[in-house]
């Protein structure tokens, strides 16, 4: 199988309501192969650094890596789509909405991993890091989404 990835360019959308910042969106389509988790981690780091949201990098990098790892371990999906959207939330805050979509209809479930187990903690990690997360079936498989709130930096509050 030929391995390939496709990054859809970062595209800011039109100015938000009431002068809120523009919405930013980035998407990566990657073949489900052994290096996919590394590829999506690099993607998340590059996107959030370009958006100057360095405070989100560690949590986002870990969450997308865990979710893509679940796809690789538990499905036979041929590819994975990772999307990141930075949305205005009001009160000078923003929300990062991330999704990981694959071709398997099998929804993930949290497990209680034994303390000696080497796996089984992925969704527990997502649950601990994300402000909110969930799953939904799609026409072609499923989507796992997560939400992280971006608190305003002190510099952005100064006029």
């Amino acid at each position: 199988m030929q391995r390939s990835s496709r990054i859809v360019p970062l595209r800011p959308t039109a100015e938000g309501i009431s002068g809120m910042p523009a919405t930013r969106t980035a998407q990566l389509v990657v073949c489900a192969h052994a290096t996919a988790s590394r590829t999506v981690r690099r993607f998340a780091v590059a996107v959030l650094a370009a958006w100057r949201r360095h405070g989100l990098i560690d949590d986002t990098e870990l969450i997308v890596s865990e979710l893509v790892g679940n796809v690789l371990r538990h499905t036979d999906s041929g590819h994975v789509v990772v999307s990141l959207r930075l949305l205005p939330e009001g009160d000078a805050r923003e929300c990062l909405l991330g999704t990981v979509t694959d071709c398997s209809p099998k929804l993930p479930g949290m497990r209680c991993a034994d303390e000696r187990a080497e796996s089984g903690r992925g969704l527990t990690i997502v649950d601990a890091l994300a402000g909110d997360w969930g799953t939904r079936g799609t026409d072609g498989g499923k989507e796992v989404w997560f939400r992280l709130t971006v608190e305003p930096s002190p510099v952005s509050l100064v006029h």
Side-chain angles (χ1 to χ4, degrees):
M1 172 186 266
Q2 181 181 0
R3 298 185 308 175
S4 66
S5 299
R6 184 179 84 231
I7 296 178
V8 178
L10 309 177
R11 326 179 283 280
T13 61
E15 182 82 12
I17 299 171
S18 301
M20 293 294 286
T23 300
R24 296 179 184 182
T25 303
Q27 186 177 72
L28 172 72
V29 180
V30 62
C31 290
H33 55 79
T35 61
S37 290
R38 180 179 65 206
T39 302
V40 299
R41 284 192 304 270
R42 289 179 177 170
F43 166 72
V45 169
V47 168
L48 294 171
W51 291 347
R52 299 178 189 213
R53 300 305 185 273
H54 300 281
L56 292 174
I57 289 175
D58 292 341
D59 288 352
T60 305
E61 183 180 19
L62 185 53
I63 290 170
V64 296
S65 180
E66 289 295 332
L67 294 177
V68 169
N70 282 349
V71 172
L72 297 175
R73 278 187 292 283
H74 302 293
T75 76
D76 59 358
S77 184
H79 70 280
V80 181
V81 180
V82 177
S83 298
L84 299 174
R85 289 186 73 190
L86 192 62
L87 306 167
E89 199 172 55
D91 296 330
R93 294 187 317 169
E94 295 172 310
C95 163
L96 177 72
L97 178 63
T99 61
V100 175
T101 308
D102 66 70
C103 300
S104 171
K106 181 180 174 187
L107 296 177
M110 289 181 67
R111 300 187 320 190
C112 292
D114 181 271
E115 64 186 40
R116 295 175 303 246
E118 294 183 16
S119 64
R121 294 178 187 82
L123 291 179
T124 303
I125 291 169
V126 172
D127 189 58
L129 296 176
D132 198 9
W133 72 276
T135 63
R136 69 179 191 92
T138 65
D139 288 340
K142 72 173 163 300
E143 174 183 272
V144 181
W145 59 269
F146 64 92
R147 183 179 166 276
L148 297 171
T149 300
V150 184
E151 295 299 329
S153 67
V155 173
S156 68
L157 295 177
V158 177
H159 294 278

